[in-house]
Amino acid sequence: MAGLESENDQKKTARSHGPHFDMNPQTPVLRISQLDALELDSALEQLVWTQFSLCFQNCRPGFLTPLEPELRVLLHLLLWRFTLYSNSATVGQSLLSLRYHSKFSLSPRYRPLSPRQKLGLAVLTAGPLWLQERSHRLLPYLGLSSQGSVSERESGLLHRGLRNALTLVAGIVKFTNLINFLVFLRNGRHPILAERITGAQTVFSKPNVAREVNYKYMNRELLWHGFAEFLIFLFPLINTKKLKATILSAVFGGESASGEGAREGQELWKECGLCGEWPTMPHTVGCQHVFCYYCIKSHSIADPYLICPKCGAEAGQPKLVKLEVEMTDR
């Protein structure tokens, strides 16, 4: 009877886990899929925090800043309660048909994480981030000492020692994370150190699963991002004003030349080529147009490759226009 009851319990457990229970945890998971799952989880946490912050946008600025680390940890635990604790999979893993498998289990079949493993994964993920944000405020509370010059000196030494110790520990943790990531690139398991410590291994949740994102789409995205970065690098090197003036002079060159020839020389000096007003302290830059001194000087400082907006000629050093006034008797 005891054997029949144990078999029934195993069947119930298998039925409760569904087809995921029969998955082979030894099937390797793509490294990019595991990293994509972590990125999706991070994006979800940032999205939840953004929506939470919008609830207090009408409050005074900096209202959430004193409690921001604690609120972020609270939201992280809230997401953990309804995702990883309930289904042994985060949101990013669920989107990519992945889930966690307990590496400490001796059975070759799939076994979900135990509650202790899930709790340890949550603490090791959110705890260091909170400690890093609050370490500078926790130090003053550790310096409880009596008054006096000697005690103040000892308190300063204690604070300095604790600060150096925290810096050393933070450096060791970062170096350990780097080593863990290099090992992950080598064997394809445990992209973060918390998964390796708690024994959480990423496995497939469905048999014969394929990536939802097509590689053709990924290649197209990579090409587009590369082309966009090339354009961002190229555009500042192009003098758009000069190019525009060259095109306009090539298209309307004949008409503008005839129009300018019909006007008298004095009429060109009645307005600034930049502001359109009567030129104050008229200056020229090498062409027949004149400009206000402050207009041409400010534009030349802002743009070293300034050109004349009227004719497209390259602007040289501003020179004062000398006017000759002819007096006639009436």
Side-chain angles (χ1 to χ4, degrees):
M1 294 295 294
L4 293 176
E5 290 179 356
S6 62
E7 290 180 0
N8 292 332
D9 293 339
Q10 292 179 359
K11 290 180 180 179
K12 290 180 181 179
T13 306
R15 194 179 299 112
S16 63
H17 289 93
H20 310 297
F21 185 81
D22 296 329
M23 278 299 302
N24 184 13
Q26 302 300 326
T27 304
V29 181
L30 294 176
R31 296 171 177 82
I32 188 63
S33 297
Q34 301 181 53
L35 296 178
D36 286 345
L38 295 176
E39 290 294 331
L40 289 173
D41 294 335
S42 178
L44 176 63
E45 292 183 6
Q46 185 62 35
L47 179 62
V48 173
W49 172 253
T50 302
Q51 296 297 323
F52 179 77
S53 302
L54 290 177
C55 299
F56 302 91
Q57 62 180 352
N58 295 327
C59 300
R60 60 179 177 82
F63 179 74
L64 297 178
T65 302
L67 298 177
E68 182 175 348
E70 287 75 15
L71 293 175
R72 284 185 177 273
V73 171
L74 182 61
L75 292 177
H76 177 82
L77 295 177
L78 187 64
L79 292 176
W80 167 82
R81 172 60 183 84
F82 293 101
T83 56
L84 181 59
Y85 186 81
S86 302
N87 303 321
S88 294
T90 62
V91 176
Q93 291 177 337
S94 300
L95 293 175
L96 298 176
S97 301
L98 303 175
R99 67 185 315 172
Y100 279 126
H101 163 70
S102 179
K103 192 178 179 181
F104 297 151
S105 176
L106 300 178
S107 175
R109 306 176 70 180
Y110 170 77
R111 286 293 184 274
L113 298 180
S114 63
R116 183 177 300 178
Q117 288 177 303
K118 297 176 181 178
L119 182 60
L121 191 61
V123 171
L124 292 177
T125 303
L129 298 177
W130 177 84
L131 187 61
Q132 183 179 2
E133 294 290 336
R134 286 303 188 193
S135 60
H136 63 285
R137 291 196 175 185
L138 293 177
L139 288 177
Y141 294 102
L142 299 177
L144 300 177
S145 59
S146 59
Q147 296 181 357
S149 59
V150 178
S151 61
E152 291 178 358
R153 188 181 303 109
E154 293 178 353
S155 177
L157 293 176
L158 177 61
H159 285 174
R160 191 179 301 109
L162 290 175
R163 189 178 297 107
N164 294 334
L166 286 176
T167 304
L168 179 62
V169 171
I172 294 175
V173 171
K174 291 180 180 179
F175 181 75
T176 309
N177 288 329
L178 175 61
I179 297 299
N180 177 79
F181 187 75
L182 294 177
V183 174
F184 162 73
L185 295 179
R186 175 70 178 177
N187 57 21
R189 296 180 180 179
H190 310 297
I192 58 177
L193 188 60
E195 295 182 2
R196 190 176 298 274
I197 295 175
T198 58
Q201 180 181 345
T202 304
V203 297
F204 287 113
S205 60
K206 297 178 182 179
N208 300 325
V209 67
R211 283 181 61 89
E212 298 293 337
V213 182
N214 194 354
Y215 284 102
K216 293 182 179 180
Y217 171 78
M218 295 176 61
N219 292 335
R220 185 166 62 250
E221 287 295 316
L222 289 175
L223 290 175
W224 170 249
H225 284 294
F227 182 69
E229 291 179 359
F230 173 73
L231 292 180
I232 293 174
F233 171 77
L234 182 62
F235 277 156
L237 304 178
I238 300 176
N239 193 342
T240 55
K241 294 182 179 179
K242 184 176 181 180
L243 181 62
K244 179 181 177 181
T246 304
I247 295 175
L248 292 177
S249 62
V251 176
F252 306 103
E255 297 180 2
S256 60
S258 61
E260 294 292 340
R263 298 177 59 184
E264 297 180 358
Q266 296 292 338
E267 294 181 357
L268 296 176
W269 297 347
K270 291 183 179 180
E271 65 178 13
C272 173
L274 291 171
C275 65
E277 301 294 335
W278 187 274
T280 303
M281 299 174 62
H283 281 65
T284 182
V285 291
C287 60
Q288 57 183 349
H289 300 94
V290 295
F291 310 90
C292 300
Y293 172 74
Y294 295 104
C295 293
I296 191 61
K297 192 64 177 178
S298 60
H299 280 74
S300 61
I301 293 175
D303 187 5
Y305 305 99
L306 181 67
I307 61 173
C308 177
K310 296 291 185 180
C311 61
E314 293 185 2
Q317 291 295 330
K319 296 181 180 180
L320 182 64
V321 176
K322 297 180 180 180
L323 299 178
E324 295 181 359
V325 180
E326 182 179 353
M327 302 296 294
T328 59
D329 296 336
R330 292 187 178 180

